[in-house]
Amino acid sequence: MELCKTISEIRQWLQDWDNIGFVPTMGYLHAGHLSLVKTARKETEHVVVSIYVNPSQFAPNEDLASYPRDLTRDLKLLQELNVDAIFFPDDREMYPRGFKTWIKVDKITQILCGKSRPTHFQGVTTIVSKLLNIIEPEKMFMGEKDFQQLVVLKQMAQDLNFKTEIVGCPIIREKDGLAMSSRNKFLSSQNRKNALCLYHSLQKAQEMFDEGIRDSHKIIRTMTKIIERSNCKIDYIEAVNPFTLEHQDHLQKGDRVLLAVFIDGTRLIDNREIR
Ligand code: PAF
């Protein structure tokens, strides 16, 4: 497994490799990330993983400084999965002095998570553009937990003619339903229990749909009650079209219900497809 800290080092290895599968991460890997690596392993010949906590996607009041990190453990986990190369640059390598260029996707970055995190997606699209230009993968694998991120990056790849195919992969959950996230580490045992309300409210949305209820406002009202009962603060709950992220009054199969919730200061997101 090649360990590359600089763009020139990773580019040297990539020269001889075709059919690259790429998994971008911010480290502190969990089973969700590892499932992306396993899918990349199956679908592409060489697998490259990046580990970089990208400062430009955090607002000054967010958790950049406390974002969990454990490079030694991450490298061990990736070695076990036979990853070909790890790219783990530092800030100077990715944002050298004089850096001035930002990638901004309109409209779909200003709704949902973009309302409370107005600069977040610009940070994500900029770093992912840079990573795609450095790695030039055939396919990039991303989890559907960050569903809005996936839609934004697909839009960016289409608009800017990136040749990489962006592949969305299913959410990986703990046994009790909590979606895997590096931020789950911040939850106390009581908050960890309360956090199940995200999953339960999404399950309830599907149950109501199965009973024939299509009015998304009614479904969202019920979800709101479930979350408020668990002492959590709702950022948003929305029912959207999965391609445009437009609000849906009337739910149809294939639509997505998305939510973001604060649990004692930790912001968690989750979503599910309505089937
Ligand atoms: O989803 C993430 O972990 C990050 O947003 C990403 C895609 C690695 C960009 O920093």
Side-chain angles (χ1 to χ4, degrees):
M1 186 167 79
E2 310 305 337
L3 302 182
C4 306
K5 275 190 160 177
T6 65
I7 297 168
S8 65
E9 272 174 302
I10 186 88
R11 278 199 167 137
Q12 233 162 29
W13 287 106
L14 297 172
Q15 261 177 18
D16 302 327
W17 295 352
D18 280 333
N19 193 13
I20 295 166
F22 174 48
V23 181
T25 81
M26 298 207 298
Y28 209 72
L29 305 178
H30 51 66
H33 297 111
L34 302 182
S35 80
L36 299 176
V37 173
K38 286 176 197 160
T39 307
R41 191 68 287 162
K42 275 191 219 132
E43 290 197 18
T44 49
E45 206 180 318
H46 289 98
V47 179
V48 177
V49 176
S50 65
I51 298 177
Y52 179 58
V53 183
N54 170 37
S56 74
Q57 67 189 73
F58 292 79
N61 61 330
E62 291 181 346
D63 55 352
L64 172 64
S66 60
Y67 195 84
R69 292 158 168 91
D70 190 344
L71 186 62
T72 312
R73 181 175 158 274
D74 290 346
L75 296 180
K76 189 166 169 282
L77 290 170
L78 295 172
Q79 174 110 55
E80 282 163 14
L81 292 182
N82 248 338
V83 166
D84 295 281
I86 314 292
F87 180 49
F88 60 113
D90 62 17
D91 291 343
R92 255 195 321 183
E93 186 72 4
M94 295 314 274
Y95 296 103
R97 195 190 284 259
F99 186 90
K100 292 184 186 62
T101 305
W102 299 97
I103 304 291
K104 184 168 172 279
V105 174
D106 257 356
K107 293 201 171 86
I108 53 171
T109 55
Q110 300 309 306
I111 55 174
L112 305 168
C113 288
K115 266 197 186 151
S116 59
R117 308 186 75 192
T119 56
H120 170 68
F121 287 110
Q122 175 175 300
V124 172
T125 46
T126 301
I127 198 67
V128 171
S129 303
K130 285 172 67 72
L131 290 167
L132 290 178
N133 282 331
I134 294 164
I135 315 280
E136 297 186 81
E138 209 72 26
K139 295 185 181 184
M140 175 170 75
F141 299 87
M142 314 209 71
E144 286 182 344
K145 184 173 78 68
D146 297 271
F147 192 77
Q148 185 177 11
Q149 167 171 278
L150 182 62
V151 173
V152 166
L153 289 171
K154 282 185 174 170
Q155 181 75 48
M156 177 193 85
Q158 182 183 316
D159 292 349
L160 297 183
N161 309 101
F162 280 97
K163 69 171 175 81
T164 303
E165 181 193 340
I166 299 183
V167 183
C169 301
I171 298 174
I172 304 296
R173 298 181 179 280
E174 305 278 0
K175 271 209 185 90
D176 59 7
L178 183 70
M180 300 261 179
S181 164
S182 306
R183 288 191 171 97
N184 291 349
K185 169 191 160 61
F186 295 134
L187 301 171
S188 66
S189 68
Q190 182 56 52
N191 290 335
R192 168 70 183 72
K193 281 185 199 141
N194 293 348
L196 281 178
C197 67
L198 280 87
Y199 178 63
H200 291 154
S201 68
L202 291 166
Q203 295 294 84
K204 185 69 185 175
Q206 180 68 54
E207 273 169 42
M208 290 175 80
F209 186 84
D210 292 342
E211 286 159 13
I213 300 167
R214 298 288 178 269
D215 177 355
S216 69
H217 300 273
K218 192 166 179 187
I219 292 176
I220 289 171
R221 272 198 303 278
T222 304
M223 293 175 72
T224 302
K225 278 188 201 144
I226 294 174
I227 289 169
E228 287 179 347
R229 266 205 315 259
S230 300
N231 276 334
C232 300
K233 192 171 152 276
I234 294 166
D235 181 4
Y236 67 81
I237 305 178
E238 259 294 0
V240 302
N241 172 288
F243 304 106
T244 62
L245 298 181
E246 266 163 352
H247 166 77
Q248 299 296 92
D249 282 328
H250 188 84
L251 270 192
Q252 295 179 35
K253 271 196 182 145
D255 286 342
R256 282 262 164 181
V257 180
L258 305 141
L259 75 171
V261 165
F262 288 99
I263 304 179
D264 197 21
T266 300
R267 187 173 180 281
L268 298 182
I269 57 174
D270 201 349
N271 70 84
R272 74 162 286 155
E273 180 186 8
I274 295 296
R275 294 187 197 117

